[in-house]
Amino acid sequence: MQKKKMITAALPYANGPVHIGHLAGVYIPADVYARFQRRLGSDVAFICGSDEHGIPITIRAKKEGVTPQDIVDKYHSIIKKSFEDLGISFDEYSRTSSENHKKTSQDFFLKMYEKGKFTEEISEQYYDEQAGEFLADRYIVGTCPNCGNDGAYGDQCEKCGTTLSPSELINPKSALSGNIPILKETKNWYLPLNEYENFLNEWIIEGHKDDWKPNVYGQVKSWLNDGLKPRAMTRDLNWGVQVPLPDAEGKVLYVWFDAPIGYISFTKEWAEKNGKNWKDYWQSNDSDLIHFIGKDNIVFHCIIFPAMMKAHGDYIMPTNVPAFEFLNLENDKISTSRNWAVWAHEYVEEFPGQQDVLRYALLSSAPETKDNNFTWKDFQTKNNSELVGIFGNFINRVAVLVHKYYDGVIPTGNENAEELSEISKTAKEINEYLSKYEFRNALSALMNLARFGNQYLQTEEPWKTIKDQPEKAANSLFVGAQIAVGLAQLCEPFMPFSSEKLLNMFNTEKISWQEVENAKVLVKTGHQINESSLLFSKIEDETIDFQIQKLENTKQSNAKTNPKANPMKEEITFDDFTKIDLRTATILEAEKVEKADKLLKLKVDTGVDVRTVVSGIAESFTPEEIIGKQVMILLNLAPRKIRGIESQGMLLLTTKPDGKLSFVTPDETVENGIEIG
Ligand SMILES: [Zn+2]
């Protein structure tokens, strides 16, 4: 009996639209696989949904001045529509903010809790006093202890890829307010991953050495070699699924605890609507669980989620986790925040009716084993030379000639012609490649059949033989029509829109993959075909130039903004601003402060008075070079004692790229005591 296929695709974060990197690295391959399994006759559940929890969403909401719910509502519908438009054939596309998901994740947590699978730990976590919130994961930024990147997050440095905890960051700052956080005690529930090392070693390292992709296997192995540590499964946050325990107010499940459970809750929703039992797909050995993900999610799908399922006790382990590497765009990393991307919803609008071109182009450069690159020029070439020049050209010639010579009726030909075996051979090849998750090879096999057909017609030249060898011409077009219908059948997982058009053009129905593998003749002599229409059309240079220009514009506008700038501080009113007394002033005297390398003691003429200011500028200036310099001073700052000296005010300074300080000064010398504002 065919096993059930429980196929999941990584849940997209509902804090932005979907781009070609997501499509090439997860959704299109997953869709090809799901469609192919359905054609094999497998009982498939292809499940996905928007991940609506997690800190990127709350941060985006704060930035845009709206609620997290506004953000997820907006992007959930954009993402869902993009998938539909591109033919991603999910059986269910739901969202983690649903009641059902909340209950499913809470039940999962409680079952683990009741079995004693968590440890409770009180730890000191960073806390933003101004915002009144604990700072988990992306709420905290600082310098990476590994590579020195000063924009590292509390859970990961995106520059070097190291996993971090907030306490490892150097100079941590709150991403909410820019303030330096304090440490505060809090209780959380941890999953002791170290206790699952033996199980993971046995299951993956010993059990899947040969059938899992080397990039996935290798990453898991290196995690296990380094040793696993307990990991907090709850967070002090207010956006997410509440921890279902009485003493857990203000705490939610860690987003990577609840997100993968989304696969389960969405399967439940689908099963409910379709009279199925979700447990047959998740808790039965007659089911294969397959997770399609990007490489950044390997640890969650190969270590944390399996450990959770193991701890829970009722679940099967994934059969395979075919993770993809990353797709770059025009040789640069795709980035949502830098808007360096080709957005799915924009593509659909700008290339109407050309969804399959994108599917084809992305699949043929899918980052299967290493990072790969998408360029618009390459996209154009793939369309014009391969889809139009080979695939479309072949099918068009067959259809046009069958209409021209035989009034659209398939002529008589040799049902045992040798060339016909190419169809079943291709079907078997694609089957073999897809069962190993080799999508590019599978697509090449399909294109090779189109190439074969094209060459066959070129050699046979029915447009010439029709005059004095009509039987030969009829046979050529009979064979040609079989190959064309073979392509119509076999291209469906890859290019579903074109497949539907083609099947309609040849007036025939979709059949199972096995039938294509076993058949020689797919349309009989005497079969009437429908009007032919063009399958693909040439993409002109102007269209491509427009897209390249769009990216160029993005690059230019990015250059104008500084990605390293700290987020804006809390808004103040105009009244707040008028309380600040800024003046022009001149430095009269400067001397070093004893035993303090950074400090200079200054005498400053503020126009109002002459006062003492202690300033941390000794590493950037010698006393001599600043005497006589005009500066700006914050005059009404409450006096503070620094190293026993009362400092009355603060000079305005900025930091140069080399880390040295420089004074903010008026661009020409003016009188002292002039108000700034
Ligand atoms: Zn780093």
Side-chain angles (χ1 to χ4, degrees):
M1 195 187 84
Q2 262 286 4
K3 276 188 160 187
K4 290 186 165 40
K5 298 287 171 187
M6 180 62 236
I7 304 167
T8 73
L11 307 188
Y13 251 146
N15 75 328
V18 163
H19 58 59
I20 54 168
H22 302 126
L23 293 172
V26 179
Y27 303 106
I28 294 177
D31 184 59
V32 171
Y33 190 78
R35 286 175 179 273
F36 169 67
Q37 286 296 337
R38 291 188 193 111
R39 293 287 295 286
L40 283 178
S42 304
D43 182 349
V44 170
F46 182 27
I47 305 292
C48 191
S50 304
D51 181 358
E52 306 194 327
H53 298 135
I55 288 163
I57 286 159
T58 49
I59 287 183
R60 179 138 199 164
K62 277 214 163 80
K63 220 168 165 181
E64 294 187 14
V66 297
T67 66
Q69 192 63 47
D70 292 334
I71 294 287
V72 300
D73 286 347
K74 174 178 165 187
Y75 289 112
H76 171 73
S77 50
I78 293 177
I79 295 170
K80 187 166 192 262
K81 182 165 188 305
S82 291
F83 285 147
E84 285 164 4
D85 287 342
L86 287 166
I88 309 296
S89 60
F90 294 128
D91 292 304
E92 183 71 35
Y93 188 84
S94 186
R95 52 201 302 193
T96 60
S97 59
S98 76
E99 268 308 304
N100 162 55
H101 174 69
K102 185 177 150 192
K103 186 174 184 309
T104 305
S105 346
Q106 289 181 333
D107 287 350
F108 200 113
F109 182 90
L110 277 178
K111 172 94 184 249
M112 287 172 68
Y113 178 80
E114 280 153 14
K115 288 176 82 177
K117 299 295 182 182
F118 294 116
T119 53
E120 285 179 21
E121 282 181 38
I122 297 197
S123 63
E124 289 196 313
Q125 302 276 336
Y126 283 116
Y127 183 81
D128 184 327
E129 288 182 290
Q130 190 189 326
E133 283 183 44
F134 279 99
L135 303 170
D137 307 328
R138 308 224 141 196
Y139 269 160
I140 189 151
V141 288
T143 304
C144 170
N146 187 44
C147 75
N149 164 28
D150 53 13
Y153 294 112
D155 57 348
Q156 195 184 34
C157 169
E158 288 196 333
K159 199 164 175 196
C160 70
T162 307
T163 311
L164 299 169
S165 68
S167 60
E168 290 172 291
L169 289 176
I170 301 162
N171 297 327
K173 264 191 287 185
S174 165
L176 295 175
S177 63
N179 290 343
I180 295 165
I182 60 157
L183 283 166
K184 197 172 163 175
E185 280 195 343
T186 181
K187 180 166 83 177
N188 276 293
W189 286 266
Y190 285 68
L191 181 60
L193 288 174
N194 44 306
E195 290 174 13
Y196 297 83
E197 280 177 8
N198 287 343
F199 153 69
L200 292 165
N201 263 309
E202 207 168 292
W203 165 51
I204 302 177
I205 303 307
E206 288 166 33
H208 288 295
K209 192 173 180 6
D210 300 321
D211 62 333
W212 281 23
K213 292 174 66 172
N215 58 332
V216 180
Y217 184 84
Q219 218 188 92
V220 174
K221 196 168 176 188
S222 119
W223 270 81
L224 288 170
N225 284 348
D226 288 349
L228 302 178
K229 283 183 277 192
R231 195 165 173 125
M233 292 292 128
T234 58
R235 289 287 188 274
D236 294 279
L237 283 178
N238 46 30
W239 179 248
V241 176
Q242 281 82 30
V243 174
L245 296 174
D247 55 343
E249 207 170 305
K251 293 175 202 290
V252 297
L253 301 179
Y254 174 38
V255 66
W256 274 110
F257 185 89
D258 91 77
I261 295 174
Y263 301 140
I264 301 167
S265 27
F266 306 157
T267 308
K268 281 186 185 174
E269 290 168 27
W270 165 79
E272 177 91 352
K273 286 179 236 171
N274 291 279
K276 307 253 187 181
N277 181 355
W278 69 273
K279 290 185 178 176
D280 293 345
Y281 298 81
W282 280 96
Q283 301 185 348
S284 155
N285 289 325
D286 291 329
S287 175
D288 277 330
L289 171 59
I290 299 145
H291 297 306
F292 281 87
I293 56 166
K295 69 171 163 188
D296 49 338
N297 288 346
I298 291 175
V299 62
F300 303 110
H301 288 78
C302 298
I303 291 185
I304 299 177
F305 189 41
M308 286 163 55
M309 292 197 289
K310 178 80 181 164
H312 182 288
D314 293 344
Y315 287 88
I316 54 169
M317 288 298 128
T319 308
N320 210 323
V321 184
F324 280 64
E325 301 288 299
F326 289 154
L327 184 73
N328 293 324
L329 168 60
E330 304 284 353
N331 299 304
D332 194 0
K333 196 178 164 191
I334 294 180
S335 160
T336 300
S337 56
R338 288 186 297 123
N339 192 26
W340 190 256
V342 176
W343 302 104
H345 64 292
E346 289 185 3
Y347 177 90
V348 170
E349 264 180 36
E350 290 165 2
F351 293 85
Q354 292 182 290
Q355 299 98 316
D356 280 347
V357 181
L358 187 66
R359 288 177 66 111
Y360 179 82
L362 292 179
L363 272 172
S364 61
S365 53
E368 273 178 7
T369 51
K370 58 179 173 59
D371 290 357
N372 217 332
N373 193 31
F374 174 94
T375 70
W376 278 110
K377 281 281 169 208
D378 188 38
F379 168 85
Q380 183 187 25
T381 306
K382 277 176 177 147
N383 179 72
N384 293 357
S385 320
E386 297 175 19
L387 292 179
V388 177
I390 299 167
F391 197 101
N393 181 47
F394 165 65
I395 285 173
N396 189 47
R397 283 209 284 190
V398 171
V400 165
L401 294 178
V402 168
H403 277 290
K404 190 170 166 190
Y405 302 149
Y406 312 106
D407 292 327
V409 176
I410 303 292
T412 308
N414 177 6
E415 295 197 355
N416 290 307
E418 200 187 320
E419 292 83 8
L420 298 178
S421 62
E422 286 298 314
I423 303 166
S424 56
K425 195 186 111 201
T426 305
K428 284 174 193 154
E429 271 174 14
I430 295 176
N431 189 340
E432 208 163 292
Y433 285 130
L434 288 183
S435 65
K436 292 186 286 183
Y437 309 97
E438 293 178 12
F439 294 89
R440 293 167 65 166
N441 284 337
L443 189 66
S444 296
L446 177 77
M447 269 320 276
N448 285 341
L449 181 61
R451 270 191 194 95
F452 176 83
N454 219 22
Q455 272 159 14
Y456 173 76
L457 275 197
Q458 206 56 47
T459 319
E460 290 284 303
E461 299 184 306
W463 49 91
K464 284 189 184 162
T465 57
I466 189 76
K467 288 163 209 147
D468 39 21
Q469 290 173 278
E471 272 179 36
K472 185 169 185 334
N475 185 61
S476 309
L477 286 167
F478 172 82
V479 170
Q482 306 311 321
I483 297 173
V485 175
L487 286 169
Q489 295 286 356
L490 299 179
C491 77
E492 186 265 341
F494 310 93
M495 299 187 283
F497 299 94
S498 306
S499 172
E500 202 188 328
K501 256 194 196 169
L502 273 173
L503 291 171
N504 185 36
M505 207 153 105
F506 284 90
N507 190 21
T508 184
E509 307 260 299
K510 196 158 72 179
I511 56 175
S512 78
W513 203 267
Q514 291 89 338
E515 282 175 283
V516 185
E517 282 185 3
N518 297 326
K520 280 192 165 174
V521 175
L522 296 168
V523 272
K524 297 247 180 246
T525 299
H527 177 84
Q528 175 73 49
I529 67 169
N530 292 327
E531 275 305 295
S532 71
S533 60
L534 269 189
L535 212 49
F536 301 103
S537 51
K538 206 174 157 216
I539 293 175
E540 302 296 340
D541 287 347
E542 300 100 75
T543 309
I544 294 304
D545 291 345
F546 173 80
Q547 293 298 334
I548 293 172
Q549 189 54 49
K550 223 167 114 180
L551 287 172
E552 196 51 46
N553 295 346
T554 299
K555 206 176 253 173
Q556 280 173 12
S557 79
N558 281 345
K560 287 180 200 142
T561 56
N562 176 6
K564 281 191 194 156
N566 286 327
M568 189 181 82
K569 291 182 186 171
E570 199 187 347
E571 195 175 86
I572 59 166
T573 63
F574 185 71
D575 284 349
D576 291 333
F577 173 71
T578 55
K579 287 182 194 160
I580 297 170
D581 193 347
L582 288 168
R583 306 279 182 132
T584 52
T586 298
I587 298 172
L588 302 176
E589 292 171 21
E591 60 181 274
K592 290 199 162 172
V593 177
E594 259 180 66
K595 289 180 195 159
D597 295 343
K598 290 187 179 171
L599 301 178
L600 291 185
K601 179 182 163 190
L602 312 171
K603 273 246 154 58
V604 181
D605 179 353
T606 68
V608 180
D609 52 20
V610 173
R611 55 172 77 188
T612 300
V613 172
V614 178
S615 189
I617 55 175
E619 286 173 337
S620 300
F621 304 100
T622 61
E624 300 75 39
E625 67 181 306
I626 57 167
I627 291 171
K629 194 159 184 63
Q630 191 159 50
V631 295
M632 297 189 191
I633 183 167
L634 173 55
L635 203 59
N636 61 340
L637 183 68
R640 306 190 282 164
K641 276 224 163 139
I642 303 173
R643 296 270 165 162
I645 308 161
E646 190 175 81
S647 178
Q648 306 160 305
M650 191 175 83
L651 303 186
L652 300 195
L653 291 151
T654 177
T655 310
K656 293 186 281 189
D658 63 359
K660 295 266 185 196
L661 298 170
S662 91
F663 286 106
V664 179
T665 60
D667 68 353
E668 53 188 75
T669 306
V670 294
E671 277 183 78
N672 292 328
I674 305 235
E675 289 180 53
I676 297 158

